[in-house]
Structure formats: C-alpha cells, structure tokens
Amino acid sequence: RTGTASPRSSDPLRAPLIRAPPLRAPTLRMINQDRPPSSPPRPLPASTPRQRNMQNAASASVGAVVTSLFVTPFEVLKVRQQACGSRRAARCGMVQLGQTLVRAEGATAFWAGLRPTLLMAVPSTVLYMGAYEHIRDAIQAAAARRRNGGGGALASL
C-alpha cells in the first residue's frame, strides 16, 4: 500500500480532538483603572424635602402629559366607535374610523379633548404621587423606629 494515508489521519472518528481553551467569564475594566484617582469623588449634595417634592411633581407631570398624548387618540376612537352604534357596523371599525377621522377633520382630531384631559390628569397624578411618596416615607421611618426599639409601625401616622 503505497501512497495511502495512515488509518489514523484519514479516519475522522480517530482523528485527535481539537481542544478549545477553557471559557472564562469576561472581566470589566474601567478606563484608567490602574491609576489611583487624583482625589476621591465628591458625594452628591443631599436634596431637601422641597427639592424632592418639586422633582416628584415634575416627573409626575411629565408622566401624565406623555401618557395623555399616547392614550388620547385611542380614547377619541373609542368614543367615536361608541357613538357609531350598531346601525353602521361596517364603518365602525377602528381602522375605518381612523381613516374617516383623518379625511374629514385632519390628523389633529385624534387629540381632540387633550386640554381637558391634561387639566384632569396632571394635578391628580401630582397629588397621587406626592401622597404616595409621603405615606411611603412615613411608613418606612416608622418601621425603622420599630426595628430599633421605638413605637409601633404606624405610631407616627
């Protein structure tokens, strides 16, 4: 048998297995991690209760506005669909109503009633979130006092 390969190299089942290096978890390194910092980072200033209340009010207002902007078109279509009733069921689908609304009144008709919605949603969301934050903080403070040997969990309320 001249010119034939050895049985070891021609048989794929007998070929030596390729061993991959063991897998290691990746390590995250920050830029300039090896250098010591020139000075320790300054802690953020503690916010006052007034600042926290203003931040909560602002975030609740933004949330209410964004929610209203997204929900109002669906509310308009829902009300139009309810007004359509069963007499013209073929033209009362959401897509058909939307197309009719855009043709007849323009795209801004989807946000009809946005002002009253905002006048209701923004103050109620601000009050809700403010009350929630205040009550949550009071309960947490009372629970901390209770753990440290103070009064009952709801003693300060």
Side-chain angles (χ1 to χ4, degrees):
R1 296 182 181 186
T2 59
T4 61
S6 69
R8 205 164 203 206
S9 62
S10 65
D11 187 9
L13 295 176
R14 293 186 182 216
L17 295 174
I18 300 173
R19 298 200 181 216
L23 295 176
R24 288 184 285 177
T27 57
L28 299 175
R29 293 177 52 99
M30 294 177 59
I31 298 173
N32 299 329
Q33 184 178 3
D34 300 331
R35 284 190 331 178
S38 58
S39 63
R42 292 185 313 194
L44 293 174
S47 61
T48 64
R50 181 176 170 84
Q51 288 173 331
R52 233 179 346 172
N53 289 340
M54 295 303 288
Q55 290 170 350
N56 289 340
S59 63
S61 299
V62 169
V65 169
V66 170
T67 302
S68 297
L69 286 172
F70 281 110
V71 171
T72 300
F74 295 106
E75 290 289 326
V76 168
L77 288 175
K78 180 191 77 167
V79 169
R80 299 282 175 111
Q81 195 172 29
Q82 289 171 345
C84 186
S86 62
R87 35 193 172 142
R88 292 179 275 162
R91 288 193 276 166
C92 289
M94 288 291 223
V95 174
Q96 292 84 9
L97 278 174
Q99 291 171 347
T100 305
L101 188 65
V102 169
R103 281 189 213 122
E105 301 175 35
T108 57
F110 282 112
W111 288 274
L114 183 63
R115 285 185 193 146
T117 301
L118 290 175
L119 286 174
M120 288 187 326
V122 172
S124 66
T125 305
V126 169
L127 290 174
Y128 175 82
M129 291 304 294
Y132 170 79
E133 294 282 333
H134 179 71
I135 292 170
R136 186 198 62 191
D137 292 345
I139 290 174
Q140 285 177 346
R145 278 195 306 275
R146 184 176 183 198
R147 278 192 303 267
N148 295 334
L154 300 175
S156 67
L157 296 177

